[in-house]
Amino acid sequence: MDDEYFMRRALKLASLGTPSPNPYVGAILVKDGEIIGRGYHEKAGMPHAEIEALKSCENPAGATLYVTLEPCSHHGRTPPCTDAIIKAKIKKVVYALDDPNPQVNGKQILEDAGIKVVSGVLQKEAEKLNEVFVKNMTTKLPFVVLKTAMSSDGKIATKNRAPLQITGEKSRKIVHELRGKYDAILVGVNTILADDPQLTCRTAGGRDPLRVILDSRLKTPFDAKVLKDKNVLIATTEKYDSEKMRLLSRKAKVAVFGKDHVNLKQLLKFLYAEGVCSILVEGGGKVNQNFIKAGLIDKMVTLISSKKIGVDGLDAFGGKTLEEVRKELSFMLEETLEVDGDKVIISTPKC
């Protein structure tokens, strides 16, 4: 068994947590080829993976610590993990990913204490697991996922937006799981007007995300289902109607981002400052085009049905195919799943 074997075990552990806005981290302690301790970061504010692993065994002295992220060296909600590692007399630390947080200098501190450090083991796997955290730390912006459900001929609805289930039940379940995974879900006001969705997560144990509505003229109806609770942000412009602003502000937070059109970059900066680390964009064709044109997409999740809607249907990407959009964004196909006749295609930036 080599370093990669134990790191895979640590990565699997890391995925068990729900640590946002913190990273996913798993840790394994190994002595004489045997695992003697395990831990993962469960939630923000709770002990880090390294601490949980150290607590789980009686005598960690002389062991090798496998951890998916460079151990922290600064005081946050919890003390530095480097202090605990040094105190426990760990002999060697192997980690996957350098911490993108500029406050962290764990590797140097551990080496200065005489601990052997090996980095970069399964780095790409760790980057994928912590894609949201890496984006947050390096850009101070939320991670943005563009989710689109469309027919085999690239349409998202009929011309008159008549009720239509494009994808199957299992594909729709995937969508609700995604809603529970990300901090916010974003749609355009036309989706609210046409479909009157609740935009909630309907999976067991899932959390409802912040609902964000792009509404440059404040057309959101006062009785819209999405306004049944106040976990909503309506992003508008300086063209808003004062009376509508007053009434809608009773049911949701309303904020101005731009003169004629909602400035998406400004909106994302605001959301990140409010603690939103990740966003699922479920817009119509116009919203999709605006995010693509602005270069603000970090991942695409595209659900494609075997059904056809026809030439009069509404385009998912303004007349462009998925392949053309991926080329424009310099995205590559990462994964394709078959779900009861539907295809789920995940696309990510090329390295």
Side-chain angles (χ1 to χ4, degrees):
M1 290 181 286
D2 57 10
D3 288 348
E4 290 193 2
Y5 170 82
F6 292 116
M7 190 61 73
R8 289 191 195 282
R9 299 287 294 270
L11 285 165
K12 188 173 182 179
L13 269 178
S15 66
L16 299 176
T18 53
S20 181
N22 291 351
Y24 290 91
V25 186
I28 298 264
L29 280 167
V30 177
K31 186 185 284 189
D32 299 325
E34 299 291 331
I35 295 175
I36 61 169
R38 300 173 177 84
Y40 67 92
H41 185 39
E42 186 176 346
K43 290 182 180 179
M46 296 184 70
H48 288 185
E50 299 94 321
I51 306 304
E52 292 287 7
L54 290 170
K55 285 175 13 183
S56 72
C57 67
E58 292 184 4
N59 181 23
T64 295
L65 172 67
Y66 291 87
V67 62
T68 56
L69 186 69
E70 179 182 7
C72 69
S73 57
H74 66 291
H75 283 271
R77 294 185 186 182
T78 58
C81 289
T82 49
D83 290 356
I85 293 168
I86 294 168
K87 184 178 180 181
K89 299 181 180 179
I90 296 301
K91 181 180 179 181
K92 179 180 176 182
V93 173
V94 181
Y95 70 83
L97 180 65
D98 289 329
D99 195 319
N101 186 340
Q103 291 182 288
V104 173
N105 189 28
K107 181 178 182 180
Q108 187 64 54
I109 289 173
L110 293 173
E111 288 179 335
D112 288 347
I115 297 173
K116 184 178 179 180
V117 180
V118 177
S119 62
V121 176
L122 298 186
Q123 178 179 322
K124 289 187 180 299
E125 288 85 343
E127 285 176 345
K128 182 178 179 181
L129 179 65
N130 275 310
E131 58 190 4
V132 172
F133 180 72
V134 172
K135 171 71 182 297
N136 295 163
M137 289 295 103
T138 54
T139 69
K140 303 303 178 187
L141 290 172
F143 187 87
V144 179
V145 177
L146 180 65
K147 186 241 89 183
T148 309
M150 65 186 194
S151 62
S152 60
D153 52 351
K155 310 297 181 181
I156 56 174
T158 59
K159 186 176 182 180
N160 61 0
R161 296 193 73 114
L164 174 66
Q165 296 288 3
I166 296 177
T167 56
E169 186 63 34
K170 288 190 177 180
S171 293
R172 290 194 290 277
K173 184 180 178 182
I174 289 174
V175 172
H176 285 288
E177 289 172 351
L178 284 172
R179 288 179 180 178
K181 180 179 179 181
Y182 295 102
D183 295 336
I185 177 172
L186 183 149
V187 300
V189 69
N190 287 336
T191 296
I192 302 297
L193 295 172
D195 304 330
D196 195 20
Q198 292 180 301
L199 301 177
T200 53
C201 170
R202 286 170 237 168
T203 56
R207 52 166 186 160
D208 288 338
L210 170 71
R211 275 66 54 79
V212 181
I213 304 169
L214 301 182
D215 187 358
S216 60
R217 299 297 185 271
L218 290 184
K219 296 179 181 179
T220 301
F222 304 130
D223 60 351
K225 291 178 182 177
V226 74
L227 298 179
K228 286 187 176 181
D229 65 64
K230 290 193 173 184
N231 191 28
V232 178
L233 170 68
I234 300 176
T236 190
T237 67
E238 294 176 9
K239 298 293 184 180
Y240 68 83
D241 178 277
S242 298
E243 180 63 12
K244 287 184 177 179
M245 169 75 87
R246 185 181 68 82
L247 294 172
L248 281 172
S249 294
R250 294 177 178 177
K251 295 196 168 189
K253 184 169 186 174
V254 185
V256 174
F257 302 94
K259 293 183 178 180
D260 297 311
H261 303 284
V262 174
N263 185 313
L264 296 178
K265 185 74 174 286
Q266 186 180 339
L267 171 62
L268 293 186
K269 287 181 178 179
F270 173 84
L271 288 170
Y272 185 70
E274 292 289 303
V276 174
C277 297
S278 57
I279 301 172
L280 184 68
V281 176
E282 287 196 36
K286 186 176 180 181
V287 172
N288 291 350
Q289 289 177 66
N290 289 340
F291 268 90
I292 291 166
K293 185 177 180 180
L296 296 173
I297 304 298
D298 298 297
K299 177 187 279 190
M300 296 177 67
V301 178
T302 311
L303 298 92
I304 304 178
S305 167
S306 59
K307 299 175 184 177
K308 286 189 176 182
I309 291 179
V311 293
D312 289 337
L314 301 180
D315 289 322
F317 305 117
K320 295 179 181 179
T321 65
L322 175 60
E323 290 72 22
E324 288 170 334
V325 171
R326 282 211 302 255
K327 185 176 180 180
E328 180 179 338
L329 293 173
S330 294
F331 275 24
M332 64 180 181
L333 175 65
E334 180 180 298
E335 187 177 4
T336 301
L337 307 173
E338 295 282 347
V339 184
D340 282 359
D342 298 332
K343 286 185 178 179
V344 181
I345 299 175
I346 299 173
S347 308
T348 53
K350 294 179 181 177
C351 297

